[in-house]
């Protein structure tokens, strides 16, 4: 890794990014047919923070929400599960974003209503009051970069902040085609990957953005000097070390209800194992274990206490 930061389970993980009000059917029915819905907190970085806190790690989330009932509801929900929220702002001049999950027979479609959201107004000022004491990892994703120019400036500032305070940067590419096209997003998201200490990317999105799926070639072409973790949809996950050593762990066999959120659960499991000093295979396995919880639910975040997994009999599914 790029920084000489000895990690331990006592270190804080700081996640920065937008969280929206997620509306989803209580059962795996389509939006058109379902009669009952739940409202949950839905956001990639916040989901990582929730899974980490649920596993007992020190987890903090930094963001901006609308000063409205949905924003307050999200803040209450995230705080309830032990995530630190002292750096979450309730912003009176823009609303909290909303999105809807529409489960289908083959895949889930997600409808976003986030244009002009409070989170899209975030900028480097979000780091002004951030306490580096005890911080080991700061987690970001490419979703934030797609929200606005000020959000891209925020991510650039994260790398400067992390270098100053010797904090590792965990970066999930998380390309969202609804926010920007590959030609625009590709160079920006590649630039972040070259600076991060940990880079998470799905093989499918890497092929969409850069026309590359092979982990070795991806590492070479994007000039990735940190650890690269490539999640391959129906196959498994590969970690490539800064020295070029590769470790692969196959995906679990899971009775899948819905796949959205499983990638963030994987990241949280991996980061928890990293904090515990586990090796590459154990980190990938912990990622798969945590992702399996999300795959069995229509919710992005599934607390351990709420999990009652069905038998593991279905085909492998990636995230």
């Amino acid at each position: 890794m790029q920084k000489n930061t000895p990690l331990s389970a006592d270190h804080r993980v700081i996640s920065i990014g937008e969280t929206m009000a997620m509306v989803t059917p209580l059962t795996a029915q389509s939006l058109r047919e379902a009669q009952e819905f739940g409202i949950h907190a839905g956001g990639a970085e916040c989901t990582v923070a929730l899974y980490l806190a649920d596993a007992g790690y020190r987890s903090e989330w930094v963001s901006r929400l609308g000063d409205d009932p949905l924003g307050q509801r999200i803040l209450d929900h995230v705080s309830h599960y032990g995530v630190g929220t002292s750096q979450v702002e309730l912003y009176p001049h823009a609303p909290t974003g909303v999105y809807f999950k529409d489960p289908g027979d083959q895949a889930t479609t997600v409808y976003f209503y986030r244009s002009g959201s409070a989170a899209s107004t975030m900028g480097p000022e979000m780091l002004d009051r951030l306490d580096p004491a005890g911080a080991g990892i700061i987690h970001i994703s490419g979703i934030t970069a797609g929200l606005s120019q000020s959000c891209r400036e925020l991510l650039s500032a994260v790398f400067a902040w992390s270098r100053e305070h010797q904090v590792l940067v965990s970066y999930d590419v998380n390309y969202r085609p609804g926010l920007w096209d590959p030609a625009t997003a590709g160079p920006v998201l590649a630039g972040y990957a070259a600076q991060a200490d940990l880079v998470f990317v799905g093989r499918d999105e890497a092929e969409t953005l850069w026309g590359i799926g092979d982990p070795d070639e991806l590492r070479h072409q994007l000039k990735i000097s940190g650890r690269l973790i490539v999640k391959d949809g129906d196959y498994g996950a590969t970690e490539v070390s800064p020295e070029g050593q590769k470790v692969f762990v196959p995906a679990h066999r899971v009775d899948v209800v819905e796949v959205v959120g499983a990638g963030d659960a994987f990241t949280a499991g991996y980061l928890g194992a990293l904090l515990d000093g586990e090796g590459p295979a154990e980190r990938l396995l912990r990622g798969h274990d945590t992702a399996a919880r999300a795959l069995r639910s229509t919710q992005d975040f599934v607390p351990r206490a709420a999990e009652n997994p069905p038998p593991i009999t279905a085909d492998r599914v990636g995230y």
Side-chain angles (χ1 to χ4, degrees):
M1 294 192 187
Q2 296 174 349
K3 304 182 183 73
N4 297 318
T5 303
L7 291 175
S8 76
D10 292 330
H11 276 105
R12 288 159 51 231
V13 179
I14 303 168
S15 299
I16 301 179
E18 178 175 37
T19 290
M20 295 173 286
M22 176 185 71
V23 181
T24 182
L26 294 183
T27 58
Q29 292 180 283
S30 70
L31 282 174
R32 185 171 183 174
E33 297 173 345
Q35 299 298 314
E36 296 182 310
F37 300 84
I39 301 177
H40 309 282
E45 302 86 356
C46 183
T47 299
V48 171
L50 284 163
Y51 275 109
L52 284 167
D54 186 60
Y57 299 100
R58 298 175 62 199
S59 179
E60 182 177 350
W61 172 51
V62 178
S63 190
R64 187 170 282 162
L65 295 164
D67 190 4
D68 50 38
L70 290 176
Q72 293 157 358
R73 181 183 180 120
I74 289 169
L75 192 56
D76 290 344
H77 172 83
V78 176
S79 300
H80 172 77
Y81 286 102
V83 175
T85 57
S86 64
Q87 298 304 305
V88 178
E89 298 179 10
L90 290 176
Y91 187 67
H93 305 298
T96 301
V98 180
Y99 75 98
F100 295 80
K101 281 187 176 183
D102 187 13
D105 292 335
Q106 302 300 319
T108 295
T109 302
V110 181
Y111 296 92
F112 292 97
Y113 301 87
R114 73 197 316 172
S115 179
S117 69
S120 71
T121 71
M122 292 190 298
E125 74 282 350
M126 300 299 293
L127 304 176
D128 289 348
R129 295 185 293 113
L130 196 57
D131 184 4
I137 300 171
I138 188 163
H139 178 70
I140 57 175
S141 91
I143 296 173
T144 303
L147 297 178
S148 67
Q149 178 59 38
S150 66
C151 283
R152 289 191 280 280
E153 293 168 3
L154 167 60
L155 293 194
S156 296
V158 164
F159 289 103
W161 186 92
S162 72
R163 288 190 293 270
E164 179 183 356
H165 300 292
Q166 289 295 292
V167 176
L168 298 181
V169 176
S170 165
Y171 164 61
D172 193 334
V173 171
N174 252 335
Y175 171 61
R176 293 292 187 267
L179 291 173
W180 45 356
D181 61 82
T184 305
V188 176
L189 299 181
Y192 298 141
Q195 299 178 72
D197 301 285
L198 296 155
V199 180
F200 296 86
V201 65
R203 184 186 180 108
D204 56 348
E205 63 183 344
E207 291 173 342
T208 297
L209 287 166
W210 306 298
I212 305 169
D214 177 74
D216 287 327
E217 186 179 356
L218 191 63
R219 177 171 169 267
H220 174 70
Q221 292 296 332
L222 270 60
K223 298 180 173 58
I224 295 172
S225 59
R227 294 191 186 278
L228 171 64
I229 301 91
V230 180
K231 299 168 287 183
D232 193 347
D234 59 357
Y235 188 47
T238 300
E239 177 188 304
V240 186
S241 75
E243 296 75 32
Q245 298 171 331
K246 287 193 295 187
V247 175
F248 170 80
V249 174
H252 291 332
R253 296 168 62 88
V254 178
D255 280 335
V256 176
V257 173
E258 197 263 308
V259 301
V260 178
D264 302 313
F266 178 96
T267 297
Y270 180 101
L271 292 179
L274 181 67
L275 289 169
D276 288 338
E278 300 283 2
E282 292 78 11
R283 295 195 288 263
L284 296 173
L285 180 60
R286 186 92 68 89
H288 289 318
D289 289 344
T290 311
R293 286 161 55 189
L295 289 168
R296 297 181 178 114
S297 173
T298 60
Q299 300 181 35
D300 288 8
F301 169 59
V302 182
R304 285 179 298 177
E307 187 187 25
N308 184 21
I312 299 177
T313 58
D315 291 337
R316 285 178 181 160
V317 172
Y319 14 86

